[in-house]
């Protein structure tokens, strides 16, 4: 389903793995595995429109024309910590992608994102940027990461998340209408602490076993 710049991935495998991630009975190990697997499937969607070029090759039987990736290269930008769990899945699809990191945490009181780290390749302006974060809640972290990328010159940005809250999606759409958002689900709402309902809990704590 596509709504404006939002692409909702309703593939049965994605929805099945999302259920594994949501369940409180899922162990840390299984959570990590399911997050990596769902990242591969979201990565398939996020790379659907990569440009191709035609090249001449020789198969064991004859010469033919074939397609290969052309043009823009990719940079993956996980938002620490939780986005780290999506990197390996994306790298399976695009092993040559660069990886930049943005460290953000949410202030418990204001819920605003606070940056504590960033390290991006110098040529982000020449690359397609895929921002990775399983959770898009208030949208503060995603908007802060995208702001940073744009200040560094990035122009082609896609946000890939697992679950989006309506509030966070609206905030990203307002702040960055050019950015495509890919998600496995849009959940009901945020609770008073800014957690997504029904959600999957704290994505960082669940994959790293903290708390
Ligand atoms: C979580 C999550 C997102 C952010 C989403 O990170 O991984 O980055 O919250 O919330 P927002 O849309 O309201 O900004 P958190 O700040 O808990 O840090 P962590 O990944 O290190 O646990
Ligand atoms: N961050 C998370 O990890 N989970 C939420 O539900 C909201 C923000």
């Amino acid at each position: 389903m596509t709504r404006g710049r939002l692409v909702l991935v309703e593939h049965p495998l994605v929805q099945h793995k999302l259920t594994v991630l949501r369940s409180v009975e899922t162990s840390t190990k299984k959570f990590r595995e399911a997050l990596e697997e769902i990242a591969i499937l979201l990565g398939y969607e996020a790379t659907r429109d990569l440009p191709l070029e035609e090249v001449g090759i020789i198969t064991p039987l004859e010469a033919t024309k074939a397609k290969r990736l052309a043009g823009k290269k990719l940079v993956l930008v996980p938002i620490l910590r939780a986005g780290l769990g999506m990197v390996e899945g994306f790298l399976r699809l695009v092993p040559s992608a660069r990886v930049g990191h943005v460290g953000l945490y949410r202030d418990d009181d204001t819920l605003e994102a606070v940056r504590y780290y960033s390290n991006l390749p110098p040529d982000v302006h020449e690359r397609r940027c895929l921002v990775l974060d399983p959770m898009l809640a208030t949208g503060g972290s995603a908007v802060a990461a995208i702001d940073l990328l744009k200040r560094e010159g990035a122009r082609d940005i896609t946000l890939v998340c697992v679950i989006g809250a309506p509030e966070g999606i609206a905030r990203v759409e307002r702040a960055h209408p050019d950015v495509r958002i890919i998600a496995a689900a849009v959940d009901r709402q945020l609770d008073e602490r800014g957690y997504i309902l029904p959600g999957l809990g704290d994505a960082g704590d669940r994959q790293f076993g903290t708390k």
Side-chain angles (χ1 to χ4, degrees), residues 79-82 104-106 133 135-141 202 204:
I79 300 180
L80 309 180
R81 290 175 298 166
L104 295 166
Y105 71 86
R106 285 201 313 182
D133 193 335
M135 308 307 276
L136 174 59
T138 66
S141 304
D202 186 305

Side-chain angles (χ1 to χ4, degrees), residues 83-152:
L84 286 174
M86 300 172 74
V87 173
E88 278 310 311
F90 273 77
L91 284 177
R92 295 255 211 112
L93 298 177
V94 203
S96 60
R98 300 287 191 271
V99 183
H101 294 86
V102 178
L104 295 166
Y105 71 86
R106 285 201 313 182
D107 181 285
D108 283 343
D109 298 322
T110 65
L111 295 185
E112 282 307 310
V114 181
R115 177 150 61 93
Y116 58 87
Y117 184 75
S118 72
N119 191 337
L120 299 170
D123 57 353
V124 282
H125 56 286
E126 291 170 358
R127 292 177 179 271
R128 169 176 289 201
C129 302
L130 300 178
V131 178
L132 310 180
D133 193 335
M135 308 307 276
L136 174 59
T138 66
S141 304
V143 167
I146 296 165
D147 284 346
L148 173 67
L149 279 169
K150 287 193 174 173
R151 279 199 301 276
E152 296 296 317

Side-chain angles (χ1 to χ4, degrees), residues 9-29:
V9 184
E10 293 163 307
H11 191 287
L13 290 174
V14 170
Q15 295 307 312
H16 178 86
K17 289 175 197 307
L18 176 58
T19 301
V20 173
L21 290 172
R22 286 188 192 280
S23 172
V24 71
E25 292 177 5
T26 299
S27 66
T28 302
K29 174 176 180 285

